[in-house]
Amino acid sequence: MTSPYKPKNILITGAAGFIGSHVTIRIVKKYPDYNIIVLDKLDYCSNMKNLLPVCSSPNFKFVKGDITSADLVNFLLVRENIDTIMHFAAQTHVDNSFGNSFEFTKNNILGTHVLLEACKVTGQIKRPFNDKRYFLDDAKLKKLGWFERTPWEEGLRKTIEWYLANPDFWGDVSGTLVAHPRSGMVPGHVGYEDMKEILEQFMK
């Protein structure tokens, strides 16, 4: 019989970001027996201030570095005897990718590939898995008293109607309607009337 899984040394990537920092703080405080090693290159979407609540914790260690560095990731996995990885490192804000798509590909895709390859090369991660406890199921929400008040179709219709009635709120979004937009693209390729026509197609 397989023994219950219990992590000892956890590597958390992107731990200085919004989501990663909240997860890191919770684990460091709730599980003092776990050694938490965090890896973050402190880019525009992360900040060490997010980790201040646990910076002095004895089970916390911060490493400034890039997940696309295979040598660094391999070293950390072996040196810290990592048995679990929680991967949050990524470029954020989709609109930024329009002008810097290669950087997004490098961090979000190559970075993930480097992590996976490091797991294979070093042999550190013995039991790779995705947590299947969090599949899409609203049964627990319903037990808590949460129920759908607006059907999907009605909610979508109301949302479209609101945007059509408030064009000044969302302004010129023409750039998002152009395939593979380039950095510095001048808005105006598609005007409001075109956008309105597109939205109205969903109303039919």
Side-chain angles (χ1 to χ4, degrees), residues 58-78:
N59 62 329
F60 172 87
K61 179 186 290 187
F62 176 80
V63 178
K64 182 179 180 181
D66 196 329
I67 59 170
T68 62
S69 171
D71 290 340
L72 173 60
V73 174
N74 289 345
F75 173 79
L76 284 177
L77 261 60
V78 175

Side-chain angles (χ1 to χ4, degrees), residues 26-36 58-60:
R26 183 173 180 82
I27 294 178
V28 169
K29 290 184 174 182
K30 188 172 182 178
Y31 303 99
D33 294 336
Y34 296 177
N35 295 313
I36 310 301
N59 62 329
F60 172 87

Side-chain angles (χ1 to χ4, degrees), residues 3-24:
S3 59
Y5 168 76
K6 183 178 181 180
K8 295 180 180 179
N9 305 304
I10 304 174
L11 174 66
I12 303 180
T13 70
F18 177 74
I19 298 176
S21 62
H22 281 74
V23 173
T24 299

Side-chain angles (χ1 to χ4, degrees), residues 3-177:
S3 59
Y5 168 76
K6 183 178 181 180
K8 295 180 180 179
N9 305 304
I10 304 174
L11 174 66
I12 303 180
T13 70
F18 177 74
I19 298 176
S21 62
H22 281 74
V23 173
T24 299
I25 291 170
R26 183 173 180 82
I27 294 178
V28 169
K29 290 184 174 182
K30 188 172 182 178
Y31 303 99
D33 294 336
Y34 296 177
N35 295 313
I36 310 301
I37 297 86
V38 305
L39 175 62
D40 200 301
K41 70 175 184 177
L42 297 180
D43 208 346
Y44 67 92
C45 48
S46 58
N47 194 315
M48 272 301 293
K49 290 182 179 179
N50 293 334
L51 295 170
L52 284 178
V54 294
C55 276
S56 60
S57 300
N59 62 329
F60 172 87
K61 179 186 290 187
F62 176 80
V63 178
K64 182 179 180 181
D66 196 329
I67 59 170
T68 62
S69 171
D71 290 340
L72 173 60
V73 174
N74 289 345
F75 173 79
L76 284 177
L77 261 60
V78 175
R79 175 66 180 272
E80 303 295 340
N81 196 25
I82 300 297
D83 55 44
T84 304
I85 295 177
M86 300 183 75
H87 180 34
F88 296 101
Q91 295 274 314
T92 63
H93 300 82
V94 175
D95 51 335
N96 288 337
S97 69
F98 297 161
N100 197 8
S101 58
F102 286 111
E103 195 66 20
F104 268 66
T105 300
K106 176 183 175 184
N107 283 274
N108 299 7
I109 299 177
L110 177 60
T112 302
H113 192 166
V114 168
L115 281 176
L116 292 171
E117 189 67 16
C119 294
K120 182 177 72 173
V121 170
T122 63
Q124 288 295 119
I125 309 301
K126 307 299 183 182
R127 298 172 63 177
F129 70 94
N130 285 319
D131 197 331
K132 296 180 180 179
R133 292 174 299 174
Y134 300 104
F135 63 94
L136 296 178
D137 182 7
D138 61 356
K140 290 184 178 180
L141 288 174
K142 289 182 177 179
K143 286 183 179 179
L144 292 173
W146 292 78
F147 291 93
E148 180 186 73
R149 291 192 299 180
T150 304
W152 165 255
E153 293 79 6
E154 182 184 350
L156 179 61
R157 178 180 57 78
K158 287 183 176 180
T159 300
I160 293 174
E161 288 177 346
W162 187 91
Y163 276 100
L164 286 173
N166 297 275
D168 292 336
F169 177 83
W170 44 270
D172 185 1
V173 294
S174 58
T176 63
L177 301 177

